[in-house]
Amino acid sequence: MKVRFETYGSSPGSKKIDLGEVSTMLESVPLDASVTFTWNDDEDDVLIVGFGEGFAVATMLRDRTFYVLQANEREGFEEVEIGGQWSSHPKRFLMDRSLGLEVLAQAGDMDGLFERYAWVVP
């Protein structure tokens, strides 16, 4: 199974990699780098997991609706870089990088992902 690996900032790039290479590729970039992994782009069901400095976020397109994984109950916003863009992002959608990797490892099991985690319409 393939995912698109995209880097932003001073070394922008994009390439398809095997799902099993995700951890290695994430470790190959600086911890403060902004990267995304996209499974099934150009299709109806899509999973995007973005990683930044000390966090991850997950977005799912399912049945023509976008959902974001709610990882916690924290209130407020935090300025973070996601996909090369700085934005004020709800803290409830920011998760540990390890959870981002866990979610990404399940790419392809959209029904299971939707049942196991709290996905909300932002």
Side-chain angles (χ1 to χ4, degrees):
M1 186 177 311
K2 297 279 189 182
V3 294
R4 180 174 308 286
F5 170 59
E6 295 178 274
T7 57
Y8 305 88
S10 60
S11 300
S14 177
K15 65 180 176 178
K16 289 276 190 168
I17 63 169
D18 288 322
L19 188 59
E21 296 177 275
V22 166
S23 291
T24 302
M25 295 306 290
L26 186 58
E27 290 173 7
S28 74
V29 297
L31 286 176
D32 63 347
S34 176
V35 301
T36 58
F37 296 92
T38 305
W39 171 80
N40 211 32
D41 54 350
D42 301 326
E43 298 296 330
D44 291 334
D45 290 334
V46 179
L47 177 65
I48 303 167
V49 181
F51 293 85
E53 188 170 2
F55 73 91
V57 294
T59 304
M60 175 190 293
L61 173 62
R62 180 181 166 100
D63 299 325
R64 291 184 232 157
T65 302
F66 279 99
Y67 298 90
V68 180
L69 193 151
Q70 181 174 328
N72 59 67
E73 297 293 329
R74 294 186 325 187
E75 293 185 20
F77 293 83
E78 187 170 327
E79 283 292 315
V80 295
E81 183 182 7
I82 300 173
Q85 299 289 324
W86 283 93
S87 66
S88 186
H89 208 72
K91 290 181 180 180
R92 66 188 176 127
F93 298 143
L94 302 177
M95 67 185 90
D96 291 335
R97 290 167 68 103
S98 60
L99 181 55
L101 287 170
E102 176 184 310
V103 168
L104 190 55
Q106 298 172 69
D109 182 12
M110 297 300 269
D111 291 336
L113 280 169
F114 204 74
E115 292 171 10
R116 284 187 285 280
Y117 300 95
W119 298 92
V120 297
V121 176

